[in-house]
Amino acid sequence: MDQELINGTIASVVFQNYENAYAVIKLNSEEHGLITVVGTIPLPCIGERLMVTGKWAVHSSYGKQFEAEFLDRMLPDTTEEILSYLASRAVKGIGPKTAKKIVDEFGADALVILDTQPELLSRISGISPEKALYIGENYRKQIGVRRLIEFMTANHLPAEIAVRIYRIYGEESMEHIRSNPYLIAQPQFGGDFSTTDMLALELGLRMTDPRRVDAGVLFVLRHNLNNGHSFLPVDKLAAATAAILTLEVLPVYEAIDRLLELGQLAADTVYDVSAIYLPEFCMAEEEITERILAMSREPHGSLPGAERFLERIEKKNGIRYAELQKQAILAAAEQRIMILTGGPGTGKTTTLAGILSMFELLGRKTLLAAPTGRAAKRLSELTGCEASTIHRLLEAQISPETGEMYFAKDEADPLHCDALIIDEMSMVDLRLMHSLLCALPEHCTLILVGDPDQLPSVGAGNVFADLIRCRRIKTIALTEIFRQARESLIVMNAHAVNQGQLPILNDAKGDFFFMKRLRSEAVLQTVAQLCSSRLPAYLKGSFADVQVISPARKGETGTMNLNRILQGVLNPSSQEKAEVFSGDRCFREGDRVMQIRNNYDLHWRRSDGSEGMGIFNGDCGVVDKIDRQNNLIRIFFDDREVDYDMDLLSELELAYAITAHKSQGCEYRAVVFVALDAPVKLLTRGVLYTAMTRAKELMVVVGNENMIAEMTMNNHRNKRYSGLRFRLKEGT
């Protein structure tokens, strides 16, 4: 009864959140004059007319404002309102000057022209036929996306999903959603399954509707890819699906049979287990097995004059190789596929340089790659040779029809090389390994380098461990810690932890320090002091040389809260720095950020004029400029410059503090490791070892030594359902 209906025109947009569509606007209302309206108002534009239903409230800081609960939107219809609307840059390609020209030419019919006859815009000087069609397309997209956003937000789904769906289905988006609501939860769109399921039931689907049960089965399999599983045993898949759908298992088994018949699932037997796969993962295991076994059966053969080659390499590099290093260099020349492993200080990099020298002497064109941009950059610095990310090497592309990623390099267009070296192999998942092998030219040598004791890949599979343990591939494991490395407490403590021995925490002379803090407030204060002043002064550098690592994301000492604290200390708010909000996160000019999802659509450019596509999960950069007028954020990822639309903010997070998983493949001059509270499942030896091996010059642990002891003693590794090792061992 206390609700009120207010009519008015948007005079200005004070704030809008592109993730959840929350906005603060100034409304010229017919009843009350200029008022502040707050609520879910997707993509508000100056000049729009609104009918807002809601109630008045008094905010403690901002005073009286109208809280919108429902609203009806009407596009402006007077020439004055249309001019304000178009001049606000609501439509890409139209600025204030162009807006005036359009309104002068078409008057109150301007928006009708944009919608139905955009080609007529070319009558205006400065607008080519191509630009006219571009403006019309963007206008229709803006209207279509906004309607879709309104539908999403009304059903408690993130606004950015609407943009992804519209990119694929365009004006037919709503028809597709109503036909099968579960497409919202497909991986390329990223909708939460439980929320999507509630929407589907509200739209009238029965609990046992085949669309619902099929979607549930596929969701459980896809969800478990994130837990590293390539497949699930059929009984576990059925039980998990029945639980999330609140059904008996019979309709789930019927759905599994139906999906198998349709080719949307694949079945096999692994270690006497009835395994259910998504088809692409079953195919990946089968084809990886076939290619690996073929390579292991067809070595290049022994190298004539091997000792002479080794002597030349030692002379060139000014080094005497240890016996295992010599074996690795010769094996690289003689085998089609070889694995090189070793922990810190065991000479992996030195051996890799020797392998590169051997390939140079043999006239083999060699390519180097790593899973992430940081790892590729580090590989380049260590070897002196150019290295790229695997995605860039394989020329990742995005399909305009499906929105899914594919690689341009494959069997039809393989890589141009005689040898390929992949570093940080523990991070490579099943599908990426499959794509790599598909792009290898015939008779190419493949060298896989990594540390098997680091955390496994985020994606499905247990590739590096399976390749090592199948015993079908020549593997050289470097174990000797060289004299210079033994002088580093970082190196020695990392090896101690890896063997289940407690690290030395009380030696104040080396490169590894422990600062005991037993309360979260003290930990946060100490970390802030270390990052803002003490470590930059010690390193004679800046915070750019330091990385904070925590086992967990949540909690008082998790990365989310650490990022909030460190942002306030290292890059505080000021009038000189623009900022924008996404949910409860603030991004500010000067912030260190990380990309958290592979995006093959993002265009990057370098100062030398080179360009490319794709920013990938784990890439770190710095916010250079926030352009509110054009809804863009410019970020520098090392030497690459990228412009983000505001609707992509959900793909970024602050990176002053990151998890150990996100730190893989990177190396920092100094690491601050936070050891106080974290979920038990994250208190493992692998997490601690990975964090420790990220530090190059200095490691500082802040927290409770009992947590370090607990992590050292806990060598638990989550079991992953993977059939690759089984296939490699059983293959002939």
Side-chain angles (χ1 to χ4, degrees):
M1 294 297 293
D2 58 349
Q3 286 189 334
E4 186 176 339
L5 176 65
I6 293 178
N7 293 277
T9 303
I10 298 178
S12 64
V13 179
V14 179
F15 169 80
Q16 60 177 313
N17 184 312
Y18 294 89
E19 188 171 327
N20 61 16
Y22 178 84
V24 179
I25 64 171
K26 294 292 186 180
L27 192 74
N28 263 326
S29 68
E30 299 171 4
E31 301 89 346
H32 306 280
L34 190 65
I35 63 172
T36 300
V37 178
V38 301
T40 301
I41 311 172
L43 302 179
C45 297
I46 295 171
E48 272 191 286
R49 290 186 296 119
L50 302 181
M51 286 196 302
V52 188
T53 303
K55 57 187 177 182
W56 292 99
V58 178
H59 192 279
S60 58
S61 300
Y62 303 111
K64 189 176 181 181
Q65 55 190 25
F66 192 74
E67 296 180 344
E69 296 184 14
F70 306 98
L71 60 89
D72 286 321
R73 314 175 75 143
M74 296 150 287
L75 286 171
D77 57 4
T78 68
T79 54
E80 184 180 349
E81 290 175 346
I82 291 171
L83 177 59
S84 296
Y85 170 70
L86 294 178
S88 70
R89 301 183 186 273
V91 180
K92 282 188 179 180
I94 300 179
K97 291 181 180 178
T98 304
K100 188 173 188 313
K101 290 180 182 180
I102 292 173
V103 174
D104 286 346
E105 178 71 24
F106 299 108
D109 294 328
L111 298 185
V112 176
I113 295 297
L114 263 63
D115 187 22
T116 61
Q117 295 178 286
E119 65 277 5
L120 296 182
L121 295 175
S122 61
R123 291 179 358 198
I124 298 171
S125 64
I127 299 181
S128 65
E130 294 77 16
K131 185 175 181 181
L133 294 176
Y134 171 80
I135 289 172
E137 180 183 346
N138 279 308
Y139 174 75
R140 288 192 297 272
K141 177 183 177 182
Q142 199 257 3
I143 298 301
V145 168
R146 191 172 66 186
R147 288 172 182 155
L148 205 55
I149 287 175
E150 289 170 349
F151 175 80
M152 292 292 174
T153 54
N155 289 284
H156 313 291
L157 286 157
E160 72 263 19
I161 294 175
V163 179
R164 296 177 196 147
I165 291 176
Y166 194 90
R167 196 174 291 153
I168 303 301
Y169 295 111
E171 296 175 12
E172 298 177 353
S173 295
M174 281 305 306
E175 294 175 30
H176 283 276
I177 290 172
R178 293 189 183 281
S179 173
N180 183 8
Y182 292 98
L183 76 84
I184 294 171
Q186 289 180 2
Q188 66 267 40
F189 304 131
D192 175 73
F193 181 82
S194 61
T195 309
T196 303
D197 190 39
M198 285 191 288
L199 169 62
L201 294 172
E202 287 174 7
L203 291 175
L205 268 70
R206 293 178 293 107
M207 293 279 285
T208 55
D209 189 299
R211 288 172 292 180
R212 180 173 187 259
V213 190
D214 290 359
V217 170
L218 294 172
F219 164 73
V220 170
L221 274 176
R222 289 181 185 132
H223 176 76
N224 277 280
L225 297 175
N226 299 323
N227 295 326
H229 302 308
S230 304
F231 69 85
L232 285 181
V234 66
D235 56 339
K236 292 185 180 296
L237 172 60
T241 305
I244 67 163
L245 297 180
T246 323
L247 292 175
E248 299 295 326
V249 293
L250 180 58
V252 178
Y253 277 110
E254 291 172 350
I256 292 171
D257 290 339
R258 185 166 53 245
L259 291 167
L260 285 168
E261 191 173 334
L262 291 169
Q264 292 181 264
L265 295 180
D268 207 341
T269 302
V270 178
Y271 292 115
D272 298 323
V273 171
S274 295
I276 302 295
Y277 290 84
L278 293 168
E280 59 268 33
F281 289 88
C282 186
M283 180 188 70
E285 283 191 355
E286 291 172 346
E287 294 195 1
I288 288 172
T289 299
E290 181 182 338
R291 292 169 188 271
I292 292 289
L293 291 178
M295 294 173 76
S296 65
R297 286 194 297 261
E298 300 170 7
H300 293 299
S302 60
L303 181 67
E307 289 299 324
R308 181 169 46 85
F309 276 108
L310 281 172
E311 288 173 5
R312 289 175 64 184
I313 293 169
E314 286 183 327
K315 185 176 181 180
K316 175 190 173 186
N317 295 340
I319 193 171
R320 292 296 300 272
Y321 291 108
E323 185 57 34
L324 279 175
Q325 291 178 310
K326 290 181 180 180
Q327 289 181 30
I329 294 168
L330 287 177
E334 296 171 350
Q335 301 292 323
R336 283 280 313 284
I337 181 169
M338 188 200 84
I339 294 172
L340 176 66
T341 74
T346 58
K348 274 207 314 287
T349 302
T350 304
T351 307
L352 195 53
I355 291 171
L356 286 166
S357 297
M358 175 66 81
F359 287 165
E360 184 180 355
L361 287 176
L362 296 174
R364 295 183 188 175
K365 180 183 177 182
T366 306
L367 297 176
L368 289 85
T372 66
R374 285 294 179 93
K377 183 180 179 183
R378 178 168 168 259
L379 181 60
S380 296
E381 292 168 350
L382 292 173
T383 62
C385 300
E386 184 180 354
S388 72
T389 64
I390 298 173
H391 284 80
R392 196 162 296 127
L393 180 78
L394 300 181
E395 298 180 13
Q397 311 279 336
I398 197 78
S399 168
E401 290 82 20
T402 65
E404 295 182 351
M405 185 273 295
Y406 69 96
F407 292 116
K409 290 296 180 184
D410 56 16
E411 297 98 330
D413 183 19
L415 297 167
H416 298 292
C417 62
D418 304 303
L420 174 63
I421 297 174
I422 304 296
D423 196 16
E424 297 289 351
M425 261 301 297
S426 62
M427 300 176 68
V428 175
D429 63 24
L430 187 71
R431 294 195 71 184
L432 191 55
M433 185 64 186
H434 177 238
S435 297
L436 267 171
L437 291 173
C438 288
L440 276 188
E442 195 174 359
H443 305 304
C444 180
T445 299
L446 180 62
I447 309 297
L448 307 176
V449 184
D451 184 343
D453 295 311
Q454 288 187 27
L455 297 169
S457 62
V458 174
N462 207 16
V463 175
F464 197 39
D466 285 349
L467 293 178
I468 293 170
R469 293 169 185 165
C470 75
R471 302 189 183 280
R472 302 295 291 266
I473 302 169
K474 180 69 174 179
T475 300
I476 306 292
L478 303 176
T479 55
E480 179 185 354
I481 305 174
F482 289 94
R483 181 183 58 80
Q484 187 175 356
R486 287 200 298 270
E487 297 173 1
S488 167
L489 198 54
I490 295 174
V491 171
M492 299 310 293
N493 274 344
H495 281 278
V497 165
N498 202 30
Q499 294 163 18
Q501 300 169 8
L502 294 178
I504 297 170
L505 299 178
N506 55 1
D507 187 338
K509 298 177 182 178
D511 53 7
F512 191 106
F513 299 93
F514 172 70
M515 303 178 74
K516 185 171 183 175
R517 302 290 187 273
L518 300 180
R519 293 182 299 107
S520 57
E521 298 86 352
V523 168
L524 295 171
Q525 184 180 30
T526 301
V527 171
Q529 290 172 348
L530 287 168
C531 294
S532 61
S533 56
R534 295 175 64 177
L535 291 184
Y538 180 86
L539 297 168
K540 296 181 173 59
S542 68
F543 176 68
D545 300 314
V546 182
Q547 182 61 62
V548 177
I549 298 177
S550 174
R553 281 178 50 80
K554 298 180 180 179
E556 289 192 71
T557 57
T559 58
M560 294 172 67
N561 192 46
L562 279 164
N563 274 315
R564 185 182 62 80
I565 298 293
L566 291 171
Q567 182 191 46
V569 172
L570 300 168
N571 190 31
S573 179
S574 74
Q575 291 185 343
E576 290 74 36
K577 297 174 185 175
E579 57 186 39
V580 65
F581 284 83
S582 175
D584 57 356
R585 301 170 304 158
C586 172
F587 294 102
R588 188 174 296 141
E589 290 174 349
D591 275 337
R592 180 191 289 182
V593 295
M594 175 183 284
Q595 176 77 13
I596 59 172
R597 182 183 295 130
N598 289 342
N599 188 322
Y600 311 96
D601 272 343
L602 284 170
H603 174 263
W604 55 261
R605 53 200 174 273
R606 291 194 176 103
S607 57
D608 62 6
S610 60
E611 299 181 349
M613 300 294 289
I615 299 295
F616 304 111
N617 187 2
D619 285 352
C620 285
V622 175
V623 177
D624 176 61
K625 182 177 178 57
I626 294 175
D627 183 351
R628 288 184 173 280
Q629 193 173 40
N630 293 302
N631 291 332
L632 294 176
I633 296 184
R634 180 167 300 154
I635 298 175
F636 278 101
F637 292 92
D638 294 324
D639 59 344
R640 292 170 295 153
E641 177 185 298
V642 183
D643 286 337
Y644 279 71
D645 285 330
M646 294 288 191
D647 60 19
L648 294 177
L649 286 177
S650 62
E651 297 186 2
L652 294 169
E653 62 182 29
L654 295 174
Y656 297 102
I658 61 177
T659 63
H661 287 81
K662 290 291 187 183
S663 73
Q664 279 191 271
C666 302
E667 187 177 65
Y668 311 96
R669 288 188 67 192
V671 166
V672 177
F673 184 68
V674 177
L676 190 63
D677 292 308
V680 174
K681 66 178 182 179
L682 295 174
L683 300 181
T684 67
R685 185 182 301 173
V687 169
L688 179 58
Y689 176 76
T690 298
M692 293 171 71
T693 52
R694 302 307 93 206
K696 184 178 180 181
E697 298 177 28
L698 184 65
M699 177 84 184
V700 182
V701 178
V702 181
N704 188 341
E705 68 268 37
N706 292 338
M707 180 167 156
I708 297 297
E710 183 179 349
M711 296 180 80
T712 302
M713 296 299 111
N714 181 10
N715 197 29
H716 174 75
R717 292 175 180 260
N718 290 331
K719 178 181 178 180
R720 292 187 168 206
Y721 290 111
S722 166
L724 183 59
R725 181 183 174 191
F726 168 79
R727 296 176 194 275
L728 286 165
K729 289 184 72 173
E730 296 297 313
T732 56

